[in-house]
Amino acid sequence: GESVGLHLPTLSVQEGDNSIINCAYSNSASDYFIWYKQESGKGPQFIIDIRSNMDKRQGQRVTVLLNKTVKHLSLQIAATQPGDSAVYFCAETPPGGYNKLIFGAGTRLAVHP
Amino acid sequence: GAGVSQTPSNKVTEKGKYVELRCDPISGHTALYWYRQSLGQGPEFLIYFQGTGAADDSGLPNDRFFAVRPEGSVSTLKIQRTERGDSAVYLCASSLGENTGELFFGEGSRLTVL
């Protein structure tokens, strides 16, 4: 079937390298942020979240950084693997609206052996 | 299966026809969401249910779109008088409770309106 994100910005990395995917969010009042991964033909998959009272949060092989001053979010993936190849979306929630995610446009991550 | 199930996976219809898309959430998940994703874009919020009631339907684009969840489990998204601009992947998700960004998405129903 068709791939999600045929015209998205693409980040190409070598297997084993670290990846950094960036996201600029729109609402300075947003206080909860989430990263999702979407493989071709599948629904988005939750990776990690962070609330605005934190500036860093770590998971397994992933780290999310939040800079509220410049409304910037990043996802760092350590030792990138071929299975990490996908489209990555950041999402924000409006204040008090945690059940309504506002997704960004996405970045395609291509991992080369 | 253990995941969110959506049917049909693919639906091709003609302009002006009526369409129903079904979502079966993860058992025990009280919150259910519908999103729409156009090619090359992120998912766009449509509606959110907590139990049987629509807690937030602010994302429904117009009154041709309607969704129900009569028993607090399965949900149906209904689109009347379909238009070519309705073509997209319709994603359903569920979560264990409210106020979480950890949604479990299905694989989506791809709607094509000719």
Side-chain angles (χ1 to χ4, degrees):
Chain A
E2 293 180 70
S3 297
V4 172
L6 288 177
H7 306 291
L8 293 173
T10 299
L11 174 66
S12 293
V13 300
Q14 290 293 123
E15 181 179 357
D17 287 351
N18 296 335
S19 303
I20 301 176
I21 301 171
N22 295 304
C23 173
Y25 62 91
S26 58
N27 189 343
S28 58
S30 293
D31 55 6
Y32 180 46
F33 305 89
I34 311 99
W35 280 99
Y36 277 85
K37 170 187 180 183
Q38 187 172 28
E39 296 175 75
S40 184
K42 296 189 176 181
Q45 178 185 7
F46 173 89
I47 301 173
I48 193 168
D49 59 1
I50 188 168
R51 298 199 182 270
S52 61
N53 60 352
M54 303 173 70
D55 53 20
K56 180 179 179 179
R57 190 167 187 219
Q58 289 185 291
Q60 187 177 10
R61 275 203 311 120
V62 295
T63 300
V64 55
L65 299 177
L66 174 63
N67 184 332
K68 296 182 288 293
T69 302
V70 295
K71 295 190 292 184
H72 184 268
L73 198 63
S74 68
L75 178 71
Q76 300 178 359
I77 304 174
T80 314
Q81 302 169 359
D84 295 327
S85 294
V87 177
Y88 289 79
F89 294 98
C90 65
E92 61 186 295
T93 65
Y98 297 134
N99 301 298
K100 181 177 179 177
L101 302 187
I102 300 169
F103 284 83
T107 297
R108 176 180 299 282
L109 177 66
V111 182
H112 303 285
Chain B
V4 175
S5 177
Q6 292 189 245
T7 54
S9 55
N10 260 292
K11 176 70 177 178
V12 180
T13 191
E14 294 180 341
K15 181 175 177 298
K17 299 289 188 181
Y18 169 80
V19 165
E20 287 191 354
L21 306 176
R22 175 190 165 106
C23 173
D24 200 340
I26 293 172
S27 177
H29 281 194
T30 58
L32 184 145
Y33 313 78
W34 284 99
Y35 282 77
R36 176 169 72 173
Q37 187 172 30
S38 300
L39 191 64
Q41 298 181 19
E44 174 192 18
F45 172 84
L46 295 177
I47 187 170
Y48 151 66
F49 287 90
Q50 180 59 34
T52 60
D56 185 346
D57 65 356
S58 62
L60 295 177
N62 51 59
D63 61 5
R64 295 188 298 106
F65 288 75
F66 190 71
V68 294
R69 194 186 185 199
E71 298 179 358
S73 178
V74 171
S75 176
T76 305
L77 179 65
K78 308 181 181 194
I79 310 173
Q80 298 178 319
R81 304 184 303 281
T82 51
E83 299 178 357
R84 292 194 179 89
D86 299 334
S87 296
V89 176
Y90 289 81
L91 294 164
C92 178
S94 66
S95 65
L96 192 56
E98 297 182 281
N99 298 327
T100 175
E102 186 172 3
L103 274 54
F104 295 82
F105 281 88
E107 295 196 342
S109 293
R110 180 179 298 279
L111 175 66
T112 302
V113 182
L114 302 177

